[in-house]
Amino acid sequence: MSMQGKDPENFTIGQNDANGETDCVTDVGTPLIKADGVTYSYRNGEQVSRGVTDVSLSINRGEFVVILGRNGSGKSTLAKLLNGFLVPDEGIVTVRGIDTADDDKIFEVRSVVGMVFQNPDNQMVASVIESDVAFGPENLGVPREEIEERITDALETVGMEKYRKGSPNKLSGGQKQRIAIAAILAMRPEVVILDESTAMLDPKGRREIMDTVLKLKREKGMAVVLITHYMDEAIAADRIHIMNDGGIIASGSPAEVFGNEDAVRRAGLELPVAAKISLDLKKAGLDIGFALTDEELAEEICALK
Amino acid sequence: MKDISLGQFYPADSFTHKMDPRAKLVLVIAFIVMAFLAKNFLSYFAVLICVVSATLVSRIPIMKVLKSIKAIIFILVFTGILNLLFYNGETVLWQWWRIKISVEGIIFSVKMVLRLVLLVMGTTLLTYTTTPTAITDGMESLMKPLKYIKVPVHDIAVIMSIALRFIPIISEEVDKIMMAQKARGAAFDNGGLLKRAKALLPVLIPLFVSAFRRAEELALALDARCYNATPNRTRYKVMKFTWRDLVGLLGTAAFIVLVVALNNNFWGAYASPASVWWLFSV
Ligand SMILES: Nc1ncnc2c1ncn2[C@@H]1O[C@H](COP(=O)(O)OP(=O)(O)OP(=O)(O)O)[C@@H](O)[C@H]1O
Ligand SMILES: [Mg+2]
């Protein structure tokens, strides 16, 4: 991807193609997003409240990362630091090597790091679905024919192509949230951050979003950062970070992190049922391995004796 | 239930529905001018023919159009009576104190009411055949030249689009809050005006709180979608000026010419009107 300087006349961003491939070879292998010793506090006049303190993490290409933590633990603050909504007080965040504090390149950062929020109703700007999806690419100055293509592609990815000409008003929560995801996908980002995007949905809607997220990772090779407090959504993650009091208290694969009883308890999280049972059985003296899903638990139990 | 974000839009597959919203906006303005140009009953009749033929071409049921007139019936009656009683005419038929009914007064108030009816018929034709979104797009495009005097045309268009998007959301929310307050024993439809206004307070406060929360998230969502990233923003939707729009414009222009001609009795083509003509040419 080429940035022709800061000249607004030649401002072309978000032009990398669907597979998250870019013509920029130099930063392959290096993390897409890298946060290093990041601290941020909210200041309202005299009042200062802690957002996050000394957080470091990296998001690689094609990786599915889940961030867990209780209310007020700093998850949203971290998310906003990752796409340049907030600029760290201390430390540095880079997106494909670009410092998010660099005002001239902020839109490049935001077109690479897409963000989906909690309430789908508050993310839509138009009364016709295709116009809403077109809004991002229009803002980036993408040529008309390509916008057409991107809309089709984005809506097909989230499985909402047949609603294209319709209005978002009568859709279910899950469907609306899929439109919100499509609206971000149309900007062709390389990573999508979903900040509690499943929190307002019913189980069916949550399932739809999780399926979409996994599809993005598998079929589009996109990185996804899912912020949630449903632990069952974290089972399929490549990596989990648990946040508490503005810091990351545990990181690793699902098995590693869920096995870290101390961190899970400190963060006030509820383990998936299978994990809880397997841990309890182990504590009760059985020789049983750690299980994340119901199937794994069944296998572990069958393997007993 | 009808989708209220569509407003009055009446879906149909007609000549007018397929027209460019910009052309329709221009036509509506031309039509308003035409209605104000009309002076005598003949030219009013020409304007009426213009509206009726436009309605037929748009395949809008005549009942729909009449319904929109019903909506302003109070204004019509009010204007009619006021003009009838207080017009300062020569040929007085009946007088009492300041109130005076004259032949000129009757003619004037009939014309006034007729003009209002024609205006409503013409302008609602726009909202019947064009979605609010298309109207917004058309306005943005027509106002584009104002960019050069630093009017933020695009921002205004985005604001209108968002407003349209949020009308149904907010109205749904009002229903929900009212329901919740009713469940707690609030009464919205009895008591005096003041009491009823007071009862609305517990609805308005949560509504405002939620509206501000929405606005905050919406602002972030706009930023996340790179709003204002480049001055060279592109448009996905393109509006096309077609033969339909040309026909519409020429037709309306012809009617305007006709109205002006009728106003002036075709510049003396029938200098001494017969008694029937007199009625029409007042
Ligand atoms: N705009 C703000 N102004 C002041 N303080 C804030 C602001 N936003 C967040 N905070 C504070 O920062 C801390 C972290 O908040 P953050 O929103 O990041 O938490 P979270 O993990 O996303 O919580 P939730 O699950 O409720 O979304 C909280 O203590 C909160 O009070
Ligand atoms: Mg949050």
Side-chain angles (χ1 to χ4, degrees):
Chain A
M1 173 155 142
S2 58
M3 278 295 289
Q4 287 118 332
K6 299 165 195 169
D7 184 3
E9 297 294 312
N10 296 321
F11 199 59
T12 50
I13 47 184
Q15 307 275 21
N16 48 299
D17 71 25
N19 328 321
E21 276 173 16
T22 56
D23 38 298
C24 179
V25 208
T26 49
D27 58 1
V28 169
T30 63
L32 209 50
I33 306 180
K34 195 165 168 43
D36 217 351
V38 171
T39 296
Y40 184 87
S41 311
Y42 291 94
R43 288 190 186 81
N44 294 320
E46 293 290 279
Q47 208 178 342
V48 176
S49 53
R50 167 203 54 71
V52 295
T53 26
D54 195 23
V55 167
S56 300
L57 87 164
S58 55
I59 313 286
N60 297 316
R61 283 165 204 283
E63 196 178 31
F64 178 23
V65 176
V66 170
I67 299 177
L68 292 164
R70 60 156 67 103
N71 288 347
S73 57
K75 305 183 298 289
S76 298
T77 310
L78 177 60
K80 285 176 189 156
L81 285 159
L82 297 184
N83 81 337
F85 275 159
L86 300 175
V87 175
D89 296 335
E90 279 167 48
I92 181 170
V93 178
T94 56
V95 172
R96 282 166 90 219
I98 302 165
D99 188 343
T100 58
D102 183 352
D103 267 345
D104 295 322
K105 292 194 173 167
I106 191 65
F107 289 116
E108 191 184 352
V109 168
R110 289 197 192 140
S111 65
V112 172
V113 187
M115 180 106 97
V116 180
F117 300 88
Q118 190 174 51
N119 187 341
D121 272 333
N122 299 348
Q123 300 171 62
M124 287 185 205
V125 296
S127 308
V128 179
I129 285 171
E130 64 171 359
S131 309
D132 186 68
V133 177
F135 185 71
E138 283 177 339
N139 288 333
L140 293 173
V142 175
R144 203 192 153 264
E145 303 72 43
E146 202 191 321
I147 296 183
E148 173 90 54
E149 216 179 281
R150 288 185 179 204
I151 294 175
T152 312
D153 189 46
L155 287 175
E156 267 169 8
T157 305
V158 300
M160 292 293 289
E161 172 63 14
K162 65 171 188 278
Y163 297 88
R164 180 172 183 146
K165 304 268 178 203
S167 137
N169 292 331
K170 293 284 169 279
L171 299 179
S172 74
Q175 288 175 320
K176 283 184 192 168
Q177 197 62 288
R178 271 145 70 197
I179 299 294
I181 293 175
I184 291 300
L185 292 182
M187 302 200 308
R188 300 265 157 101
E190 287 173 54
V191 44
V192 180
I193 302 180
L194 297 109
D195 189 355
E196 303 205 30
S197 303
T198 54
M200 291 183 71
L201 306 179
D202 57 9
K204 183 167 169 286
R206 276 176 58 199
R207 193 66 253 161
E208 288 169 18
I209 300 307
M210 286 310 293
D211 289 345
T212 310
V213 161
L214 293 174
K215 192 173 169 191
L216 290 182
K217 176 186 146 62
R218 284 201 201 107
E219 288 174 23
K220 301 272 166 182
M222 287 176 66
V224 178
V225 178
L226 181 77
I227 296 175
T228 181
H229 41 232
Y230 294 112
M231 289 194 86
D232 51 331
E233 290 175 2
I235 291 171
D238 295 320
R239 217 138 40 96
I240 298 178
H241 299 286
I242 294 187
M243 291 196 72
N244 194 34
D245 276 339
I248 293 180
I249 56 168
S251 306
S253 69
E256 284 165 13
V257 168
F258 291 165
N260 184 343
E261 270 184 86
D262 177 49
V264 169
R265 190 170 29 76
R266 259 173 69 206
L269 294 168
E270 190 72 39
L271 279 180
V273 180
K276 207 168 153 68
I277 293 175
S278 72
L279 284 175
D280 286 349
L281 287 177
K282 193 167 186 171
K283 242 185 267 168
L286 284 178
D287 178 27
I288 187 172
F290 185 68
L292 272 177
T293 61
D294 296 350
E295 291 77 32
E296 279 175 32
L297 180 64
E299 271 172 36
E300 289 289 345
I301 290 175
C302 291
L304 276 176
K305 272 179 291 180
Chain B
M1 199 188 85
K2 208 176 156 244
D3 192 340
I4 67 169
S5 67
L6 284 181
Q8 290 185 301
F9 183 67
Y10 179 84
D13 185 31
S14 81
F15 181 91
T16 326
H17 283 78
K18 286 192 197 115
M19 277 171 79
D20 185 331
R22 290 170 301 182
K24 283 190 264 188
L25 282 164
V26 171
L27 287 188
V28 164
I29 294 166
F31 175 80
I32 293 171
V33 171
M34 191 199 302
F36 278 99
L37 280 176
K39 280 207 196 94
N40 56 36
F41 280 114
L42 261 186
S43 40
Y44 272 99
F45 190 65
V47 179
L48 182 69
I49 300 269
C50 178
V51 180
V52 170
S53 44
T55 310
L56 290 179
V57 166
S58 313
R59 304 213 181 138
I60 303 291
I62 208 80
M63 283 311 293
K64 277 252 159 208
V65 181
L66 293 180
K67 229 167 134 190
S68 64
I69 296 173
K70 215 176 112 195
I72 58 153
I73 197 85
F74 177 75
I75 300 177
L76 291 180
V77 171
F78 189 73
T79 345
I81 291 180
L82 224 61
N83 279 304
L84 185 66
L85 299 182
F86 295 102
Y87 190 81
N88 200 7
E90 307 267 286
T91 336
V92 180
L93 297 176
W94 181 82
Q95 186 163 20
W96 176 76
W97 188 53
R98 287 264 184 84
I99 298 170
K100 163 161 98 172
I101 296 182
S102 64
V103 176
E104 290 85 355
I106 294 173
I107 292 172
F108 184 80
S109 54
V110 170
K111 278 184 182 169
M112 200 66 178
V113 169
L114 203 56
R115 176 176 292 156
L116 284 175
V117 169
L118 289 172
L119 280 173
V120 168
M121 283 172 77
T123 47
T124 48
L125 212 49
L126 174 74
T127 50
Y128 278 139
T129 59
T130 325
T131 60
T133 320
I135 295 180
T136 315
D137 289 343
M139 280 187 178
E140 180 186 4
S141 177
L142 286 177
M143 293 196 308
K144 227 182 252 160
L146 297 181
K147 267 204 295 219
Y148 298 105
I149 54 166
K150 299 262 184 293
V151 177
V153 176
H154 174 62
D155 292 319
I156 295 174
V158 171
I159 290 169
M160 289 204 284
S161 165
I162 289 174
L164 287 174
R165 168 77 191 97
F166 277 81
I167 287 170
I169 295 177
I170 303 279
S171 86
E172 207 169 278
E173 192 154 358
V174 171
D175 283 349
K176 263 192 217 152
I177 297 174
M178 281 181 97
M179 216 93 90
Q181 304 290 23
K182 265 185 195 158
R184 292 175 197 155
F188 296 108
D189 26 40
N190 50 33
L193 198 61
L194 195 71
K195 199 173 163 198
R196 266 192 280 176
K198 254 189 183 160
L200 276 180
L201 211 60
V203 175
L204 287 179
I205 290 170
L207 193 66
F208 272 106
V209 170
S210 124
F212 281 114
R213 187 168 323 120
R214 283 180 190 285
E216 225 168 281
E217 204 170 281
L218 181 65
L220 284 178
L222 284 178
D223 276 339
R225 286 159 80 183
C226 295
Y227 185 54
N228 277 343
T230 157
N232 304 325
R233 171 175 208 284
T234 44
R235 291 290 283 160
Y236 168 61
K237 255 223 188 95
V238 282
M239 285 170 277
K240 277 218 187 75
F241 192 89
T242 64
W243 61 272
R244 288 192 186 84
D245 307 299
L246 190 65
V247 169
L249 286 177
L250 290 178
T252 312
F255 267 105
I256 291 182
V257 171
L258 181 66
V259 165
V260 173
L262 287 170
N263 276 342
N264 298 300
N265 284 7
F266 279 95
W267 297 279
Y270 45 95
S272 55
S275 50
V276 191
W277 279 125
W278 173 85
L279 179 62
F280 286 112
S281 54
V282 281

